[in-house]
Amino acid sequence: VYMHYVLPHALSGEMGNLHIHSNFGYSAGLEANHFFTDHIGIAGRMGITSSQMEIDGETIARPLDHVTLGIGPTVSWPLCPRLTMGAHMLGGYGFYPQTEWATMKIEGSQGWGYEGGISLAYITHQNVSLALSADYRAWSNPTQSIENKGFSIGLSAGWGW
């Protein structure tokens, strides 16, 4: 289970004469990892991101949501018995539901993207960990004129068997 704070300006662009960017956002979801060796494996992640938007400096009440599914390689290196460092690179598919604001409308769209990140996990008990993470994401754009690229930082709790 992970939760991330999406840093401002992850979404930005121009539509006509309107300047649009994300003020901040949140991302949450589930991630599963399977390791083929002690250090190398495959990860799958599904999540939703909700970003508070600004149009010409005015904060919009309704956020822009984005649902993603990704899969890709993951690695983990033990730094000491209870501390591990990890990294992942996921590619996948995402979609934006139709969103309507007073000044504009974003049609529902979908497309490919990727995200990669690093984490530092502390093993609290056998098969249970807490982690700090930082990710970079670049997903399909909700419109041709708005890009979706940016950083997020977060926490996750994991358990394994």
Side-chain angles (χ1 to χ4, degrees):
V1 176
Y2 71 90
M3 291 182 64
H4 278 204
Y5 173 74
V6 180
L7 300 175
H9 298 283
L11 288 152
S12 63
E14 304 280 335
M15 282 190 76
N17 58 352
L18 300 173
H19 178 71
I20 301 160
H21 73 269
S22 59
N23 206 359
F24 63 88
Y26 297 99
S27 182
L30 300 173
E31 181 176 328
N33 297 296
H34 176 73
F35 285 89
F36 302 112
T37 70
D38 287 343
H39 308 292
I40 300 171
I42 189 165
R45 182 185 268 192
M46 65 179 180
I48 184 165
T49 301
S50 187
S51 297
Q52 190 67 48
M53 302 299 291
E54 262 186 33
I55 300 176
D56 284 341
E58 182 180 328
T59 301
I60 304 302
R62 183 170 180 187
L64 180 62
D65 297 328
H66 186 220
V67 178
T68 58
L69 288 165
I71 190 167
T74 187
V75 294
S76 178
W77 301 278
L79 299 175
C80 66
R82 295 182 87 88
L83 193 64
T84 62
M85 184 170 193
H88 67 268
M89 182 57 134
L90 308 175
Y93 202 71
F95 71 92
Y96 299 88
Q98 181 176 312
T99 305
E100 229 175 298
W101 298 307
T103 54
M104 65 186 297
K105 181 179 181 179
I106 303 283
E107 295 294 336
S109 67
Q110 54 195 354
W112 300 98
Y114 66 90
E115 57 187 80
I118 58 171
S119 63
L120 188 61
Y122 179 73
I123 300 167
T124 59
H125 300 291
Q126 183 179 2
N127 298 329
V128 178
S129 66
L130 296 173
L132 297 171
S133 58
D135 283 5
Y136 176 79
R137 17 182 323 126
W139 287 94
S140 63
N141 302 330
T143 70
Q144 287 185 339
S145 57
I146 300 175
E147 289 189 333
N148 184 358
K149 296 178 182 177
F151 292 95
S152 64
I153 54 175
L155 298 171
S156 63
W159 57 93
W161 52 87

